[in-house]
Amino acid sequence: MDAQRRGRGDQIDPADQWVLNPNTGEYELRLNPSGAQSPVSGARGSTRPTRAGGTRADVPPQRRRRGAPEEPPPGRRGGRRPVQRKPKKAKKALVWTGGTMAFVLVAVGAAGYFYLRHLEGNVTTTDVGSAGASNFSKDEAFSILIIGTDKRTGEGNEGYGDKGSSGHADTTILLHVAEDRSNATALSIPRDLIVNIPDCPTKLEDGSEKIVPGQRGVRFNRSLGEGGRDPGCTMRTVKENTGIQVDHFMMADFNAVKTLTTAVDGVDVCVEKPVNDKESKLVLPAGPSKVEGEQALAFVRTRKSFGNSGDLDRIKVQQQFLGSLMRKMSSGDTLTSPSKLLKLAEAATKALTVDQAIGSVGTLKDIALELKKVPTKNIAFTTVPVKDNPAETVKATVVLDESKAPQVFDMIRNDVSFTEVKEQKKKEKDAEAARLKGTKAPASEVRVRVLNGSAVSGAAQKTLQYLQVEEGVTKSENGGNAPAELAKTTLEYAPDQADQARRLADIMGLSGSALKPGESVTNAQGLPAMTLTLGKDFKGAGVKLDAPVEKADVEKSTADKVKCAS
């Protein structure tokens, strides 16, 4: 990536222009006042590769010499406005998960998000319609579905995957980040899991919409690619079979693993016994090793060298690899090297495909900032609990383990960590208790309208029936659907309704943070009433929202631990 190769003759490495600001602790771009620059959208003087593999000659110039006068930044004194590069239409060639997860891990880096400012043109977006969230919220929990396919895509990858595949969901991970950012869960979904795929609206290239019919009792990997199914179909399939709302998706190609591992000078892995896999061409001695490029890709793709050579054992190896990659990318050796950070960001965004809601630089930066708040010791890797399909004589597929899977899904829906995290700060707990402390009105005096902002059809009516019949809240009414879905249930009330609010909070199991002082509404009798809006945390009519969630007993690993593949 030297400047001579990129159309300049001053032999300046672009990475050398990023300088640590002692006041902020972050890297900033220093510009040369004496040389003209071509303005580009994003960071000034940034370097942007093209889809064809070339680059634009807008490399950051040499840093201003000490004592030299500083000129205003380019683009401030007339001239043509910078041309905004629009993201290309969604690629049909969908991709392998490892590289996508790698991008997520890159985002955790302390300074990495700054490079995203000039990389937006590398990102490809797909319109998934109502399958995901319309925007990204920094104040809520969020789930990103990381999808990979077996379609042969990317230079040098002709020999990988299924030659005739339309791009199935070969590897899939649901990454859930807790609302308080204290923990995250990476849930692997086996490709051979038997599921029901719902009808799926998809957007065609000409802007029209096509409904791809659903299927029952088929492999999960068919939720993508087959019949024109897009990533939104995979998102809908996850929600249909787990009850977990997926907010966004990310995909990347085989090359991301190669380039990202090379950019950080390799990733440390460990195997319990020597590996010599003729199919994946992976050759490793027993014990610790370092892999990068083609060897790293072989490590995450091999299935014959570990466990019983099945997909479930390969998932475990991939989880161990991703944990190691995370540790490497968050290490001081990586975070203090501008050249490594630049290469990582360039490689990741070139391979990245996301939903339109997170396709802007600003949103990707926000996701990066939220992800880096999660301690690696509290990032848990686990797999959907499954068992052999009892309908098969020759075991080739799996079904949900109903004794464990519902608990796993319930934990994720309710933001419960799979790791041990610190309790809420005492002053926050005291403030919570204070909001619920005080007199409570009789249930018969509580006037409330119930709105459905959850993902459960009929939730408002079921809750209304429960309140009236079981709890005696007879002055309640159904307000229909909320204007938008909410992550958490809320109760808005006027100051003179505080005693009613505390009674309803006690009935519903609402936390103090769910109570929102505001204004009352007028009910059907012309009287002031509170507004209860059910959120995605709704567990069912009569089930208190603060009821403890039973933790599932599942095998898991964490991103901070080194583990040898066996």
Side-chain angles (χ1 to χ4, degrees), residues 163-189:
K163 182 177 180 180
S165 175
S166 58
H168 294 117
D170 188 53
T171 310
T172 307
I173 296 175
L174 178 64
L175 177 67
H176 176 81
V177 181
E179 182 178 15
D180 63 3
R181 308 304 185 242
S182 65
N183 67 92
T185 302
L187 179 69
S188 294
I189 304 175

Side-chain angles (χ1 to χ4, degrees), residues 363-422:
T363 305
L364 290 174
K365 181 198 72 173
D366 289 340
I367 292 176
L369 288 171
E370 297 308 309
L371 285 169
K372 84 171 196 177
K373 296 177 183 178
V374 184
T376 55
K377 67 178 182 179
N378 290 331
I379 300 177
F381 293 93
T382 190
T383 304
V384 172
V386 296
K387 59 185 180 181
D388 288 337
N389 187 351
E392 295 177 335
T393 302
V394 178
K395 303 304 180 183
T397 62
V398 293
V399 296
L400 290 179
D401 184 343
E402 294 295 345
S403 67
K404 296 181 179 180
Q407 292 175 311
V408 171
F409 303 151
D410 199 31
M411 288 178 66
I412 293 177
R413 282 195 302 267
N414 290 282
D415 227 13
V416 177
S417 176
F418 284 75
T419 61
E420 296 297 327
V421 296
K422 292 183 178 180

